[in-house]
Amino acid sequence: MAGLARFSASVDGELLERFDRLCAERGFPTRSKALESAMRRVLIESPPDAGGAVAGAVTLVYDHHRRSLVNRLLEVQHDAGEVVVCTQHVHLDHHHCLEVLIVRGASDSIRRLLAGLNSIKGLETSSLMVESAESEP
Ligand code: NI
């Protein structure tokens, strides 16, 4: 058990002000509690290194008028066809699409898929939520 650890950090002042305002709005009792929550979120967004099976959802927002982006997005998803269980596409407005990919499989394959998605220029946001899934026999 590591117990509590103290550390100091240097961050952008404006970012810290925004973070503190959000912490107050969300009711975190201390900045430490809010930071812990943010750190857990970052960790859950990263598939574990040591293989195993994971399941989760990847959320993407992009401007579909960027044609090469859509083609590249399809290529990356087809290359990872074994871990993409299904996709849901919502046309948010004239420009923007929201796409959610449900993924399940080896964490290495999902890491490759994420790296492929993150390499696409023009993707406005992408996020991942993963959970461990039962190991395949
Ligand atoms: Ni669309």
Side-chain angles (χ1 to χ4, degrees):
M1 287 280 276
L4 283 179
R6 275 180 186 278
F7 70 100
S8 62
S10 303
V11 298
D12 178 84
E14 193 204 326
L15 179 68
L16 186 60
E17 278 176 25
R18 288 173 55 202
F19 186 71
D20 281 345
R21 272 200 303 274
L22 188 73
C23 294
E25 283 170 23
R26 298 239 179 129
F28 286 104
T30 62
R31 187 188 275 163
S32 292
K33 286 288 173 205
L35 192 56
E36 270 188 4
S37 172
M39 290 168 85
R40 287 184 207 287
R41 188 183 159 98
V42 170
L43 289 170
I44 206 171
E45 285 178 352
S46 306
D49 293 330
V54 295
V58 181
T59 305
L60 309 168
V61 174
Y62 58 88
D63 182 344
H64 74 95
H65 290 119
R66 296 185 65 148
R67 292 289 172 196
S68 61
L69 183 154
V70 173
N71 288 339
R72 184 80 189 107
L73 193 58
L74 282 173
E75 264 176 32
V76 169
Q77 291 189 43
H78 277 261
D79 287 347
E82 79 281 7
V83 293
V84 178
V85 178
C86 65
T87 66
Q88 185 109 48
H89 185 109
V90 178
H91 312 302
L92 289 179
D93 59 30
H94 184 68
H95 290 279
H96 293 98
C97 301
L98 166 69
E99 204 156 298
V100 181
L101 321 181
I102 304 300
V103 295
R104 182 175 197 173
S107 63
D108 289 349
S109 304
I110 291 173
R111 291 169 84 86
R112 269 197 301 279
L113 166 64
L114 291 171
L117 292 171
N118 287 330
S119 74
I120 299 173
K121 286 200 180 100
L123 211 60
E124 294 185 15
T125 62
S126 74
S127 69
L128 168 74
M129 186 67 71
V130 287
E131 289 294 338
S132 290
E134 230 170 42
S135 299
E136 287 163 19

